[in-house]
Amino acid sequence: EDVARILPIAMSFGISILALAHSIGHLTGGHMNPGVTFLMFLRRQISATKMACYMFCQFLGALLASSLVWGSTAKLESFGDADSVTRPPFDLGSTTVDGSISTGNAFLLEFMGSFFFYFVIAQTALDKRGIATSMFPAIPIGLILVVVHICLIPFTGCGVNPARTFGPSMVVCMVGDRCSDV
């Protein structure tokens, strides 16, 4: 992984979530990530039915968005790779485990990154005793997402959003020949 590419990718994810949480968080309740939806269910802030509906829509949205990205970039070459004809460009950002670590290590890293991300969300956006009543929760949420991405991209591609991992992986499998890699 090119180290110079990690910071812009991390900043893109963090700033995007910061902007979305700040602009539509009051409308959606922050349901942009199935993990957050599950966290809200565990905190008894939404029902099981609502959780299932949100998650279905989140995964469907990720699949549709990844399909649109693939459709928009299908003619691009993947840096001149021999299999670029059958492979989506840049693998659509699919998360993959780096060969230098085991699957168990990747799971542990993702678990820790997800824990820190969801912990910050729980303490800033969901806990009414904290800063949740202001619009400021978006700032720490965006910043922790930047930090988590910087730490995880080199090892796992950073899949702390299950829908964001699911969408590109499924589209890569449907249109490419690399299902075993994602």
Side-chain angles (χ1 to χ4, degrees):
E1 184 75 42
D2 184 9
V3 176
R5 293 178 59 193
I6 293 173
L7 185 60
I9 293 168
M11 294 297 290
S12 297
F13 275 100
I15 292 170
S16 296
I17 290 300
L18 189 153
L20 283 170
H22 190 72
S23 61
I24 64 169
H26 67 287
L27 300 173
T28 66
H31 294 278
M32 295 170 267
N33 180 328
V36 175
T37 300
F38 185 65
L39 176 65
M40 294 179 85
F41 171 73
L42 291 177
R43 293 175 59 100
R44 295 184 176 99
Q45 294 179 316
I46 61 170
S47 67
T49 304
K50 200 174 226 183
M51 177 187 70
C53 290
Y54 276 133
M55 286 184 171
F56 175 78
C57 291
Q58 290 160 343
F59 284 105
L60 181 63
L63 197 58
L64 291 173
S66 296
S67 297
L68 287 172
V69 170
W70 174 75
S72 302
T73 60
K75 297 292 182 189
L76 296 177
E77 291 186 16
S78 294
F79 297 115
D81 293 340
D83 62 349
S84 64
V85 174
T86 60
R87 196 170 110 208
F90 321 112
D91 288 333
L92 299 176
S94 294
T95 55
T96 56
V97 177
D98 185 80
S100 65
I101 64 170
S102 70
T103 304
N105 288 345
F107 178 81
L108 182 60
L109 288 169
E110 284 290 331
F111 182 82
M112 290 187 309
S114 297
F115 172 81
F116 289 125
F117 180 53
Y118 298 136
F119 179 79
V120 168
I121 290 170
Q123 297 306 309
T124 60
L126 303 180
D127 189 347
K128 302 302 180 207
R129 297 170 295 171
I131 60 172
T133 56
S134 71
M135 286 307 290
F136 293 110
I139 295 170
I141 291 169
L143 290 175
I144 192 64
L145 197 56
V146 169
V147 170
V148 168
H149 273 76
I150 289 170
C151 294
L152 295 182
I153 285 173
F155 302 108
T156 65
C158 193
V160 295
N161 182 337
R164 178 257 178 275
T165 299
F166 173 79
S169 296
M170 291 308 298
V171 173
V172 165
C173 284
M174 289 188 285
V175 300
D177 60 347
R178 298 186 46 155
C179 282
S180 62
D181 293 349
V182 291

